[in-house]
Structure formats: C-alpha cells, structure tokens
Amino acid sequence: MTSWMQVKVKGLTGSLEVEPLGQNAESLAYVYAINLAKPLPKGEYLTILVDTIQLHASYPKPAYASQTDSHFRVYEADGLLLSPYETTSQRLRFKAPTPSIRSYHISHTLEDLAKEEPVVKSGATVTFGPFKSQPPTATKGFNRTPYRVSVDFEMNIPSLTVVSLNRSVEVSHWGANMNTQDDYMLRNDAPELKGQFSRLDFQMAQHARRMSPVIISAVTLQLPSGAQNPYYFDLVGNVSTSAFRPAAKPSSERAARLGPQNAQLDLKPRYPLMGGWNYTFTVGWDAPLGDSAHWDEKNGRWILAVPFMTPLPSTPVDKAEVRVILPEGATDITVHPPFDVSLMERSTHITYLDTIGRPAFTFHAENLTEVHDGLIYITYKVPLAAHLQKPLAVGIASLIVFSVMWTLKRVDMTIHK
Amino acid sequence: MTILKLPTFAPSTLTNAASLIRILALAFIAGAAISSRLFAVINFESIIHEFDPWFNYRATRVLASQGFTEFWNWFDPTAWYPLGRVVGGTIYPGLMATSGVIYNILHALHLPVDIRNVCVLLAPGFSGLTAWATYMLTKELKDESAGLLAAIFIGIAPGYISRSVAGSYDNEAIAIFLLMITFYIWIRALKDGSVLYGTLAAVFYFYMVAAWGGYAFITNMIPLHAFVLLLMGRFSHRLYSAYSAWYAVGTLASMQVPFVGFQPVLTSEHMAALGVFGLLQLVAFVETIRNLLASKQFQLMLRWFLIAAGVAGGLIIVGLTVTKTIAPWTGRFYSLWDTGYAKKYIPIIASVSEHQPTAWPAFFMDLHMLIFLFPAGVVLCFKELREEHVFVIIYSVMASYFAGVMVRLMLTLTPVVCMTAAIALSSLLDTYLNVDEPANPDANGVKETATSGAETPVDGTISKKKKKGVAAAAAAAAVTPSIATKAKGRSSAENGIFGIDTRILVIGNAIFMLVMFVLHCTWVTSTAYSSPSVVLASRRPDGSQNIIDDFREAYYWLRQNTPQDSVVMSWWDYGYQIAGMADRPTLVDNNTWNNTHIATVGKAMSSPEEISYPILRKHDVDYILVIFGGLIGYSGDDVNKFLWMVRIAQGVWPDEIKESNYFTPRGEYKVDDQASEAMKNSLMYKMSYYRFNDLFSGAPAFDRVRNQQMPKEGPKLDYIEEAFTSENWIVRIYKVKKEDPLGRDLKTAHAFDGGKRRKPSKPISRRKALAA
C-alpha cells in the first residue's frame, strides 16, 4: 500500500510536482503524472528519483511464533516495474534489516530475463537482475504473476502498528496553553504468540537479557520541548508505569550543549505486548501556547501550527483523526493541512462554561508514516468581546442566582400569621 | 460575679456575628469532611474502589449514556452466565440516579465532567451534606454549638469515612445523609405536629429506600420511637399527624421501587411500622371517644375495645404469617440476632468479612474519644427527655447492639455517637466557658476548698485535684443546658465553677482530646481506609512508593486480547471487577443471589481437574481467573478464601465435597508436602502453584502468605493451560482447553504432546503382528 511518494531530479534539491491521475480503466494501474520544471530537449537525459513508502508490505512467516523464537517475515514484490514506457534495463535491490536472510526466490520467467546472474546476495542486500529490455508493462494484457520475487528475512525490530490514532488539540488563550491528547490503539504485528503467554519464561528471558526484540514492553514518545504535565491512562485508569523526561530548560547549560531537544515520555503498557496483542491507551500533555501560536500583528491574526501527529519510530498509522479546537468566538478561520487529507470537517465543541461553543476542525487521514508529521497551519481572529465572553457569562449567572436567593429571603410567603 | 470582664455588644450584632460564624464554620466543616476523604485520590488516583462500587459505576455509566428508561429495563446477559441478570429490578437505583442527575445538571451547565469523577467524588460531597444534616438534628436536641461539634465529629469520624472515601461509590455514600435528614425531618414533624414535614420525611424516606437496603433501620426506628412515646403516655395529636403522614406517604412511595415492591406490606421486617400505624389509629380513636363519653362507660368500653382490637390484630398477623402471606424473617435478619446463624446455615453471608461481629478495638479505632463521651451524652439526654431525646436514646441502644453484631453496621452507630458526644462535650464547654461564678458559694460548701486553694499555694496540686472533683460534680449539676443559665441571667447562677485555673485545666484537657481526635482520624483515614484495593501500594527499600497494579494489568489484558464473548470464571469476589474492567461475561459476581451457581463454581475450584472439566465445559468457560498472593505476600488471595469455596460447595453437594478432606490429618490447613490429597488435586491449588517452583530455579519454593515451603514437585495441568500471569503473579488466568480433536481425553493428549509414550500395551503388539 503506497502511503507516500516524492520525486526528485538527481543532483537537485527540491521535489517535483506529482499529480495522481487515479486508476487507469484499461490497465488497472494507478497512474501518476510528474511535471518536470522545464521540458527535456530531445536526445538529452535526466535521472529522476521516485521515493515511495509502502505499508504492510511484508507478512510474518510462520504466522505463529513462541515467546523465545526469532521471527521472520517475507517480502513479495513484482520483479518488473509497472511502466507505460519501454524499460531498457532494470533491477530490484532488497535491503533487509539483518544479514540473516533465510531464503530468496525468483520466478523462472524472470530468471530467463536476467542479463547475467539473476540473484546476488551480499550481506543484508539481495539484488534481482539487471533484466533485459522490456516493452511497456502498464498495459491491458500484462500479467504480473509470473514475475514475482520474494525474500524471507529475519526481523529484529518491533513491527508495531497504530491501528487508530485520535488526536485532539485544544487551544486556550486565557491559559496560554495548548493541550494535546492522543488516543492510540496499538497492535503488535509480529507473528502471533504460539500457545499461551508464560510469565515465567518472560521473566527469565528478561532476567537473562535475551528477550525477543519483537516483544514490546515499552514505547517512547518524543514530545515537543515545552511539554509539561503529561498524563497516561487507559480505559481502566492511570497507568503508573510511565516516566517523563522533560527537555532541558532553554537557559540551562545542558540545553546549550545539546541543542534543541524533545521531551520524552516513556510509556510502559500494562502488560508486555506479545505478537498479535492489542493495547489501547491515551496520552496527553500541555505545552505553552507561545511555542506553537504566533500573533501576526500586520493582519491582526493568530497563526497556529499544530503537529499532525507524534510519530512512533518506524510505526505506520492506519487511520488518524486530528481535531483542532480553537478558542471560543474565533472567526475568519483559514486552514492549511500539511498534506491532502481524505476528509475535513468543521464542528462545534462545547467544554467548560462555554456559551456558544468553540469552532473545531477534524482531519481524517489514512496510512501515515513518520514523514507525515507535518504541521497544520490555522489562522484566525479572536475579537476582544470573545475573550471576555466566559467571565461575563459566569458573572451574570452568579449574579442571577444570588439576587434570586436575596429576593426569596426577603419575601414573606406565609399564608397567615 | 464573673471571673472575666467580657466586652459588651449590641444583641443584634451578636446574633448576626454568631450566624455568620455558624455559616462559616459549617462551610469549613464541609470542606474538612470532603478533603479528608481525598487521601485516596491524592495517594493513588481518581479510581473506583473495591468490588461493589465497580458494579454501581458500570450501572451509572449505562444510565448516563443510555438514559433512565434504558437503565430501568436493563437486562445484563453477561452477569451470572448463562442466566443473566435483570439489573433494573434487582438494585437500589438511588445512587445511580443521583449521579445521573448530577451528571446531567453539570453537562447542562456546560461543565463536561467525566462520569467517573462524578462517581468518585459523590461520597465526599454527600459527607458535607451529612455534616449539615447532623448539625440540624443536634441543634434540635441541644443548641447550635452542640450542632457544630456534632457536624465536625461526623465530618471526620473514621467510622463514617471508612464507607465514604472518594472512590468508595457505594449505597452507603448517600444513605447516611438520607438517614440523618430523614430523622431530622421526622423530629421536626413531631415537634410541630406538621403534616407537611411528615410528608417531607416520607419523601426522604422514599429516597433512602431507593438508595440502600438499610432503609429497614428507619422503617423500624420511627415506629419504635412512636411506640415508646405511646408507652410513656406521651400520645399527642402531633405524634398522630406526623406518624400517619410519614407512614402513609412513605410506604406507598417505597413500594414504587421495583426491588422493594410489595415487601412493605408482606414481610415481617415492615410489620412493626404497620402495627404502630394501626395502634395510633386505635389510640386516637379512643382519645376521641374519651372526650365524648362519661368516664365510667368509657372505662368499660375501652377495656373491651382494646382487648378485641388487640386479639383481632394479633390473630390476623399470625394467620397471615402461617399462611405465608407475610414472609417470615429472612436469613440475613436472623443473623442479626444470632451471630452464629449465618455460619451454620448461610455460609455465603458469613464469608463476607464485613458481616463478622465487631472486635472491640474497632470501636476505638472508628470513634476514638467519642466512644467515651457517648454514654455521657446519652445520660444527658435523660435529663430533659423531650420527644427527640427519647428518639436519640432508642437510636443509641439499637445502633449499639447492631454495631456489635456486624462490623458493617458500625456505620449506623457513628451518627448517634457523634450527636451524643457533641451534646456531652458541648455541655462541658458550656459549663466551663461560662464566665459567671456562683453567687452564693457557701450554700454547697465549696468555699472552703476554693479559699484554701487560694491561701495555701503549697498544696496547690492537691487542692486542684479536689477542685477538679468538685468541679466535675458541679459540671454534672450544671449540665442542664445553658438555657437554664441563660434564663436565670448572668449574675444569679446557683451552680457553677470557681476560679479560672479549673476552667483552663478542663478546657485545656478537652482541647487536647479534640486535637488527639483530629490526629487519630487523619491517621486512620490515611492509613486504613484510603486504599482502593484495586491498586496496591508498597514501599521500596528506599522508602518511595511502589504501585502494584496487577489486577488492572490482568483485567485489561482480558479486555484487549480475548474475544468479547469469552466467559471468565472466578470466585464471586471478582465478578463485578471483571465485568467493570475486563468487560467480559462472568459466572458469578458480588450480587450473590444464586447460591447454587456459586456452589458450582466452588465445586469446580475444589475438585480435581477431570471432575471440574465437564463443569467448565458445560458452562462455556473460556478462562479461569485466580488470585495468588504467594509470591509477594498478598494475603487476600484465593487459597486463603478456598475454605469458603469448599464450604459453600459442600452445602449443595455434601456427598462430593467434604471440608475435612482439605485439612491435614492433624487438622491443619497446609499447602506444603503434608497437604491432603484433596487439597493437592484441587483445581484451585494447581492453578495457584502451577510452575511456581520453577521461579525459584532449583531452590525450594516458598509461599510467603502461608509461610510454608512448597513440595519439590509442582502441580501439572492437563485440562487447562496458563494464559496470562500478571507481573507479581497476583492474578493468574488459565485457558480451558477444548476437547481433543482426536477424541482422546486431555490427559492422554497432553502426555502424548509432552513426548511421553504410553506404556506398551496390547494395541501396539497387535499392530506389529499386522505388519509382520
């Protein structure tokens, strides 16, 4: 599943514009158009680099593993590039996280196309090809099945997936605070635990420090440097096993030595996450509003920058929903998400002692990775009256209550004396 | 004659200042009551405590999210699997309704407070109201100053805090407030003979009935009060109108609660109220007749009438009881009269620790100095013996008895102790803070002592002692509350205290006791009553707090990593917690309505694997959860509760389960080498100690709760397998294996998987023969 694509000209900085054209009705291939900065003169050549990120591209094999087993995954792919053009030479290079590669496989059809040695393994890298010249493959009659390649490699890093992430960001000008709260649903995508979990084996492995790397007993979130008052809870209450390491104060010596740093939140789930296990939790923190909001004096507007998400290292997010709640009475709002989100909604959010509610924007997106941690920019105006609305409302309400009590106390309601 | 010149103020200034100070004092008392209950939130977190509150919380969430009708008709298929439970008709909904109303009001005011926080803070909030209600009631008994003392006593007395700390979201949280406010309004109704107040008392009585099973206490206290007043010859039309209004409206209202239904007219517990109601009608009738007839005729008529009415009434009640129209006393009620009853006939009631008789130290722990002031206060009530004093005397007698029978009922004793102790202490303070000295000291011969004290300072200490004795006598004489003194004016008091030193001594002593009381209450509250028991705390060697969170770890694992419909079997203590935190169906829970079902679980736990397995499969059990404290020394674990499981199972299957089989021949409860065969083979024993030996890598395993060394060979499991064990091994979850697909019994299958061959037997040789 392609989650992200970036195109560059080799040797130049800055990426080229990519325009998705959707699925081609004839060849059933998804087509993208790349707009070159200037037309390429005939006879000259240009090297274009296309980076894409694919999610859930490998699967565990075997599908079940015990607590102490090392774990292997299989990556399968087309050996030939889908292309509307003729390809004179191509090869596929696969780099595994470890040199421990159990096997690799190339189909016979593809083997015959190879110019020399069809497959070469060196260290953690497996190279398929190079292959001979090919006619355009993104055509109606092309069958990809005979051209598959696969690699069976050992995985020694956790394969975690965020099944869903709900972020809610609330801005308060009175408190000069921006509160961020994330609801995570995690799943360990390592092979499912064979049999049942044995605490004894787990504790012994932990003691001997030979715990399988795919068992997740803690995750670390990199929070913005100003983050404070973090909290971590799940459906049954506070999880007491978290540790928060705030960033060094900007004025301190350590900060000068180390440069800008993130605050870190070490989260230890209630139980170690074995393969196939789920865990849901909520984390939240406060940060000074000044760190992410800027007063644009020229236009008399606030400019707010909200991170779309706080990525976990090499962990895809299947579904994300980000909700930004602006102060009550914010008007004249413009919204700029960092990438094309699948859906954007406006709603009204009512919280403590609000009278008319706050404007809120919800962004829905799927299949995100670390590269998607861009900023949502929102600009808005808050008139002075809106700032004063809440204290006035509370003041008037209390006044009414007290005057009613005062009146009742002074009215004689006895029928006869 | 005064010992101190006080500055004088205009009377209106004094009244206004006193009223302001009273309001401020009450506000501070409510603040103290609330904040002393927050230890649990500060030390741990905002969490629902213990067992029953988890159900109440779950029910409240249903009410808050789905509305009242849905809650009223809620059938919970996950409880008492496979029977299910009609929740709406089997609970007292007052608590949930209260939280639901508060929740909705807050949300209507745009205060989006989480329902959990409403539930956690409900008990502390209502304790503030209880303090106010106690103030009002004590004010009726003596005066405002006694009321304020009673309010602060009830505010921080551990006897009440034990059931109302933040997070202890149980019926008692609001019930004590309702108890006090109902009694207060009853007293007001009686004083004024007001039908309005009588009806109001009925309304609060209805609220109480909807909130707590302990409403029977009010149902019997008010009739008893009325009856005693009758016997004392104090029948009045005030009593008649107050009681009739309360009974008629209150009974009809209480029958609207589905769980109570027709009980108020059908069960023995409620007959006293009905009887007194009838009696009052008779007496009122007789009184009316007396005014109309000549005295001789009246005498004659009265005799016959009373005999006829008495006999008829008695016959009707006996007849109805015999024909079972009126239900006889329930077992729970019998256990109030005979403390050994429950142990013999209803082990399930006896197995609950809060149903045990109270130990003596508990009185001091829960009430501190109040327990000494309590009798003094009751005696002082005899001095005046107005109607409300009679009430307090009856209340104190009844509550003292019940508190002695059941630890849990300490709760109903605490308010009356606080009131009477406040009366006693306030009388003492009134006497000793009064700046007037008696006008004529010669009259009672006190002068000598006083003057000798002044003349010979060498004997100071002795004379002070003497004086103290005299002062005590004087205090006893002057206890008739200050109204008397006030009436007589400042200068002409006959009884009183001489000198300022006695005053300082006695008042200093009283203040010292009060300070000790506050310290004691704070200490008891913070150490004994503020543990959520879902989360445990221990100290690390360096003194920092270590949170042991095994329960939530295991429950959350169940919630996240097992199918939504997997049935979990555990002992009934953990039923509500599993339903609340793990959200999984359970076989039995803390609503112990079906003894047989519980006994079934007890039997499964105490039988060997091969006998338990069919029971487990028949009940669709997927997981079994046991609590095991042997590793870290958590004493409330299932092995310690095991004998109750055996006893309850024995009650239903006396032929199959025998308690004596689980003891060693010498009658000891052992889990080590000497443990009996029944013990070692029981599912509970096996699940608790499965692979426990391996943890000690060769060294003999040691159970830190029972302080016993485990046998070298640990138990083996064939029919179930370990599914999850929490970090400190407190919660262990086992998965029940499905039947073997090859049709072998699971023991053989397991042995085969373990690589053990069956001993060569005939089938093998036959196969050889075939091959040959």
Side-chain angles (χ1 to χ4, degrees):
Chain A
M1 211 179 300
T2 309
S3 116
W4 178 80
M5 182 183 277
Q6 191 184 42
V7 184
K8 276 181 178 174
V9 177
K10 193 174 185 182
L12 292 179
T13 52
S15 53
L16 296 176
E17 199 186 320
V18 181
E19 197 186 330
L21 297 177
Q23 196 169 19
N24 188 294
E26 199 177 300
S27 64
L28 302 177
Y30 284 90
V31 183
Y32 293 83
I34 298 166
N35 299 326
L36 293 179
K38 53 178 190 283
L40 191 65
K42 199 171 178 183
E44 286 190 28
Y45 66 90
L46 187 68
T47 312
I48 293 174
L49 305 175
V50 180
D51 279 343
T52 64
I53 296 178
Q54 292 174 36
L55 302 185
H56 306 297
S58 62
Y59 59 89
K61 190 183 178 184
Y64 293 89
S66 79
Q67 255 165 266
T68 43
D69 289 351
S70 45
H71 115 240
F72 288 86
R73 296 186 83 88
V74 173
Y75 175 75
E76 278 186 27
D78 290 341
L80 293 182
L81 190 71
L82 272 188
S83 162
Y85 307 111
E86 187 185 335
T87 316
T88 48
S89 173
Q90 61 176 313
R91 85 185 151 195
L92 193 149
R93 187 177 284 157
F94 177 85
K95 200 158 173 258
T98 59
S100 161
I101 291 171
R102 251 193 332 200
S103 69
Y104 41 84
H105 180 258
I106 181 165
S107 64
H108 290 298
T109 335
L110 204 54
E111 215 168 17
D112 298 340
L113 289 177
K115 283 178 180 164
E116 38 213 83
E117 192 66 24
V119 194
V120 179
K121 173 182 178 279
S122 105
T125 312
V126 182
T127 312
F128 298 93
F131 303 112
K132 291 176 202 153
S133 173
Q134 279 296 310
T137 43
T139 53
K140 195 182 176 188
F142 182 68
N143 181 11
R144 291 143 67 196
T145 330
Y147 302 101
R148 298 291 277 182
V149 295
S150 70
V151 186
D152 185 352
F153 60 97
E154 185 180 353
M155 188 79 163
N156 63 351
I157 49 171
S159 17
L160 203 59
T161 300
V162 177
V163 180
S164 75
L165 166 67
N166 286 347
R167 163 165 284 195
S168 164
V169 177
E170 197 170 323
V171 173
S172 157
H173 282 286
W174 272 103
N177 186 40
M178 187 171 92
N179 173 270
T180 311
Q181 180 168 313
D182 289 349
D183 297 330
Y184 282 92
M185 184 172 168
L186 280 187
R187 187 183 62 221
N188 190 346
D189 269 344
E192 275 184 44
L193 184 64
K194 190 156 75 186
Q196 304 290 340
F197 170 64
S198 161
R199 173 67 66 170
L200 183 72
D201 296 342
F202 174 76
Q203 279 174 338
M204 291 202 308
Q206 205 175 25
H207 192 68
R209 297 185 186 285
R210 16 175 205 85
M211 205 162 38
S212 167
V214 298
I215 297 175
I216 293 150
S217 48
V219 288
T220 301
L221 275 184
Q222 303 285 341
L223 306 187
S225 58
Q228 52 198 346
N229 310 327
Y231 48 89
Y232 172 30
F233 63 89
D234 56 26
L235 289 171
V236 295
N238 181 40
V239 186
S240 52
T241 46
S242 59
F244 178 62
R245 287 175 280 158
K249 283 208 179 70
S251 54
S252 72
E253 213 176 286
R254 217 177 121 243
R257 197 175 68 236
L258 296 170
Q261 269 204 314
N262 286 335
Q264 286 191 2
L265 186 60
D266 300 331
L267 309 175
K268 210 174 135 204
R270 291 191 186 274
Y271 45 85
L273 248 65
M274 300 284 149
W277 284 14
N278 305 306
Y279 183 63
T280 60
F281 63 95
T282 302
V283 289
W285 62 89
D286 288 336
L289 187 63
D291 289 0
S292 34
H294 172 72
W295 170 246
D296 178 6
E297 213 162 326
K298 204 168 71 193
N299 301 317
R301 304 172 69 84
W302 284 96
I303 302 171
L304 181 72
V306 178
F308 200 87
M309 61 175 196
T310 306
L312 287 164
S314 63
T315 303
V317 178
D318 286 354
K319 205 165 129 269
E321 197 181 304
V322 179
R323 187 165 201 223
V324 183
I325 300 158
L326 298 175
E328 194 175 21
T331 51
D332 201 2
I333 306 165
T334 65
V335 182
H336 312 276
F339 46 85
D340 291 339
V341 294
S342 55
L343 182 67
M344 193 171 92
E345 299 171 306
R346 182 180 172 147
S347 56
T348 305
H349 178 84
I350 294 177
T351 180
Y352 289 93
L353 297 174
D354 282 349
T355 36
I356 53 166
R358 309 173 172 214
F361 288 87
T362 314
F363 308 89
H364 300 263
E366 288 85 33
N367 303 325
L368 307 181
T369 57
E370 280 168 273
V371 295
H372 289 96
D373 66 337
L375 297 168
I376 304 171
Y377 286 100
I378 298 179
T379 71
Y380 56 88
K381 284 179 179 168
V382 188
L384 182 68
H387 277 310
L388 295 179
Q389 199 165 335
K390 187 177 286 191
L392 271 179
V394 174
I396 290 171
S398 325
L399 197 70
I400 291 172
V401 169
F402 281 123
S403 43
V404 166
M405 295 297 281
W406 185 84
T407 324
L408 282 181
K409 192 127 201 209
R410 271 154 186 77
V411 173
D412 188 356
M413 284 187 294
T414 44
I415 295 170
H416 83 119
K417 295 221 162 115
Chain B
M1 237 180 15
T2 61
I3 56 156
L4 210 69
K5 275 269 177 288
L6 292 177
T8 47
F9 296 103
S12 66
T13 321
L14 279 179
T15 353
N16 284 342
S19 138
L20 178 69
I21 290 174
R22 267 203 301 278
I23 291 173
L24 281 181
L26 270 177
F28 277 116
I29 287 168
I34 291 169
S35 51
S36 70
R37 283 163 171 80
L38 297 183
F39 275 112
V41 172
I42 291 162
N43 287 348
F44 295 94
E45 60 185 275
S46 168
I47 187 184
I48 303 294
H49 290 192
E50 299 197 314
F51 307 106
D52 289 13
W54 273 101
F55 169 75
N56 298 331
Y57 171 54
R58 186 160 156 254
T60 311
R61 288 179 60 119
V62 172
L63 173 63
S65 60
Q66 298 174 28
F68 194 77
T69 332
E70 206 46 41
F71 168 71
W72 207 235
N73 296 326
W74 182 26
F75 176 79
D76 182 6
T78 66
W80 295 89
Y81 186 89
L83 306 172
R85 174 183 178 190
V86 185
V87 178
T90 56
I91 51 161
Y92 294 103
L95 182 74
M96 298 93 189
T98 309
S99 310
V101 167
I102 294 176
Y103 176 80
N104 284 326
I105 289 178
L106 288 177
H107 278 244
L109 293 175
H110 288 181
L111 289 167
V113 182
D114 188 32
I115 184 73
R116 176 173 50 89
N117 288 326
V118 174
C119 294
V120 165
L121 295 177
L122 190 77
F126 266 82
S127 74
L129 290 175
T130 310
W132 170 76
T134 313
Y135 163 79
M136 297 303 277
L137 183 52
T138 318
K139 201 177 83 177
E140 296 296 321
L141 293 167
K142 188 170 172 287
D143 53 12
E144 281 93 350
S145 53
L148 286 177
L149 276 172
I152 186 67
F153 287 162
I154 191 83
I156 61 172
Y160 175 36
I161 286 190
S162 66
R163 304 238 140 227
S164 62
V165 290
S168 172
Y169 180 59
D170 212 343
N171 295 336
E172 289 94 330
I174 60 170
I176 295 302
F177 163 68
L178 295 172
L179 189 75
M180 294 318 280
I181 195 81
T182 313
F183 284 159
Y184 163 66
I185 296 175
W186 160 247
I187 294 293
R188 279 299 302 270
L190 187 58
K191 269 189 163 177
D192 303 351
S194 152
V195 173
L196 172 68
Y197 271 104
T199 313
L200 203 60
V203 170
F204 277 101
Y205 171 69
F206 163 65
Y207 192 0
M208 176 77 173
V209 175
W212 192 35
Y215 74 88
F217 187 63
I218 302 185
T219 320
N220 288 299
M221 262 307 294
I222 292 181
L224 190 60
H225 182 209
F227 186 62
V228 170
L229 287 179
L230 271 186
L231 289 186
M232 288 169 78
R234 290 195 181 191
F235 173 79
S236 64
H237 286 97
R238 288 180 290 110
L239 175 64
Y240 177 77
S241 25
Y243 188 85
S244 301
W246 170 76
Y247 181 77
V249 180
T251 305
L252 283 177
S254 69
M255 287 161 73
Q256 307 310 310
V257 179
F259 193 35
V260 176
F262 280 94
Q263 279 182 37
V265 289
L266 290 179
T267 60
S268 305
E269 284 97 332
H270 300 79
M271 281 304 123
L274 180 62
V276 170
F277 181 63
L279 197 61
L280 274 179
Q281 308 306 319
L282 290 183
V283 173
F285 181 64
V286 168
E287 288 284 317
T288 319
I289 302 286
R290 188 215 293 270
N291 293 338
L292 299 176
L293 285 183
S295 117
K296 199 172 177 192
Q297 280 172 304
F298 174 73
Q299 294 271 323
L300 190 72
M301 206 217 76
L302 178 66
R303 191 177 304 142
W304 284 109
F305 177 70
L306 279 185
I307 290 171
V311 168
L315 278 180
I316 288 171
I317 290 198
V318 169
L320 286 176
T321 314
V322 168
T323 57
K324 301 273 166 64
T325 314
I326 299 178
W329 306 95
T330 57
R332 248 170 234 261
F333 219 76
Y334 276 127
S335 62
L336 281 181
W337 309 113
D338 176 8
T339 47
Y341 180 87
K343 206 164 187 177
K344 263 180 274 169
Y345 301 106
I346 7 177
I348 202 148
I349 291 185
S351 74
V352 180
S353 64
E354 63 184 20
H355 291 162
Q356 306 296 329
T358 317
W360 283 110
F363 282 97
F364 182 77
M365 170 137 159
D366 278 359
L367 298 164
H368 193 245
M369 65 154 187
L370 303 184
I371 202 69
F372 307 124
L373 290 174
F374 172 46
V378 176
V379 169
L380 285 178
C381 285
F382 276 103
K383 286 270 166 194
E384 253 186 293
L385 212 58
R386 292 198 305 265
E387 281 159 347
E388 56 267 34
H389 294 116
V390 175
F391 180 79
V392 168
I393 292 164
I394 303 169
Y395 183 3
S396 51
V397 172
M398 298 305 287
S400 306
Y401 174 76
F402 290 134
V405 173
M406 243 188 219
V407 183
R408 189 183 183 182
L409 295 179
M410 192 68 137
L411 188 66
T412 49
L413 176 67
T414 307
V416 73
V417 169
C418 290
M419 288 192 298
T420 49
I423 292 171
L425 191 69
S426 151
S427 304
L428 184 85
L429 291 178
D430 282 346
T431 314
Y432 281 85
L433 283 175
N434 188 359
V435 290
D436 298 334
E437 282 192 306
N440 189 5
D442 290 316
N444 46 17
V446 181
K447 199 191 173 187
E448 281 96 354
T449 341
T451 44
S452 77
E455 279 164 14
T456 51
V458 194
D459 308 337
T461 46
I462 305 163
S463 63
K464 258 182 198 163
K465 270 185 191 164
K466 270 188 197 164
K467 255 198 290 187
K468 204 175 172 187
V470 175
V479 277
T480 319
S482 51
I483 311 157
T485 349
K486 269 180 202 160
K488 282 173 191 163
R490 284 202 154 187
S491 52
S492 64
E494 279 175 17
N495 301 318
I497 312 297
F498 293 97
I500 198 159
D501 48 354
T502 30
R503 288 184 162 84
I504 290 179
L505 200 71
V506 172
I507 289 167
N509 187 41
I511 290 176
F512 172 73
M513 292 301 285
L514 286 173
V515 170
M516 289 309 288
F517 174 69
V518 171
L519 291 179
H520 173 85
C521 291
T522 318
W523 177 77
V524 170
T525 307
S526 65
T527 53
Y529 292 142
S530 293
S531 168
S533 90
V534 176
V535 187
L536 308 168
S538 69
R539 295 272 162 210
R540 291 203 189 92
D542 64 350
S544 62
Q545 197 182 42
N546 180 31
I547 300 279
I548 297 172
D549 215 350
D550 282 40
F551 288 101
R552 287 194 291 179
E553 178 188 347
Y555 293 145
Y556 208 58
W557 178 82
L558 273 176
R559 186 181 188 129
Q560 296 281 330
N561 296 304
T562 58
Q564 178 87 39
D565 55 354
S566 21
V567 178
V568 182
M569 181 177 97
S570 72
W571 191 232
W572 61 264
D573 295 22
Y574 311 103
Y576 279 166
Q577 289 188 349
I578 294 173
M581 285 191 258
D583 194 21
R584 292 290 172 270
T586 53
L587 282 194
V588 292
D589 64 30
N590 309 47
N591 171 35
T592 52
W593 64 276
N594 189 331
N595 191 43
T596 319
H597 218 50
I598 292 179
T600 309
V601 173
K603 187 185 174 193
M605 293 285 199
S606 44
S607 304
E609 264 186 286
E610 52 272 17
I611 297 180
S612 306
Y613 186 70
I615 304 178
L616 299 176
R617 293 295 297 156
K618 274 178 195 158
H619 288 85
D620 294 347
V621 175
D622 295 299
Y623 292 93
I624 314 174
L625 182 143
V626 289
I627 307 295
F628 172 64
L631 181 63
I632 62 157
Y634 172 66
S635 61
D637 70 351
D638 276 350
V639 179
N640 275 3
K641 290 175 184 170
F642 187 42
L643 280 181
W644 287 111
M645 305 181 199
V646 173
R647 274 174 208 153
I648 291 168
Q650 186 181 6
V652 179
W653 291 279
D655 302 335
E656 295 173 58
I657 310 280
K658 285 197 178 59
E659 190 182 341
S660 53
N661 291 348
Y662 293 83
F663 289 102
T664 59
R666 290 169 59 198
E668 292 162 310
Y669 186 62
K670 289 229 169 188
V671 293
D672 56 6
D673 273 328
Q674 299 162 21
S676 66
E677 277 308 305
M679 182 77 185
K680 275 187 180 169
N681 286 328
S682 68
L683 195 64
M684 172 55 68
Y685 180 91
K686 285 186 167 183
M687 287 193 293
S688 292
Y689 294 108
Y690 180 67
R691 293 196 76 186
F692 186 54
N693 283 36
D694 302 353
L695 191 63
F696 292 77
S697 54
F702 190 74
D703 184 323
R704 287 168 70 177
V705 172
R706 265 75 45 184
N707 283 325
Q708 292 172 21
Q709 210 165 59
M710 301 308 300
K712 279 217 174 61
E713 191 73 19
K716 297 268 177 293
L717 290 171
D718 293 316
Y719 292 84
I720 55 177
E721 54 186 345
E722 184 186 7
F724 187 83
T725 297
S726 65
E727 193 181 349
N728 298 298
W729 289 53
I730 291 184
V731 185
R732 309 199 66 181
I733 300 172
Y734 290 84
K735 187 169 175 28
V736 180
K737 287 185 190 166
K738 298 271 176 285
E739 275 87 2
D740 187 57
L742 298 180
R744 300 168 292 185
D745 70 295
L746 284 169
K747 196 169 185 173
T748 325
H750 189 230
F752 181 81
D753 290 343
K756 278 180 207 151
R757 288 249 192 100
R758 275 169 64 168
K759 279 176 194 157
S761 54
K762 274 173 191 169
I764 293 175
S765 57
R766 196 183 297 153
R767 204 158 61 197
K768 267 183 185 168
L770 266 173

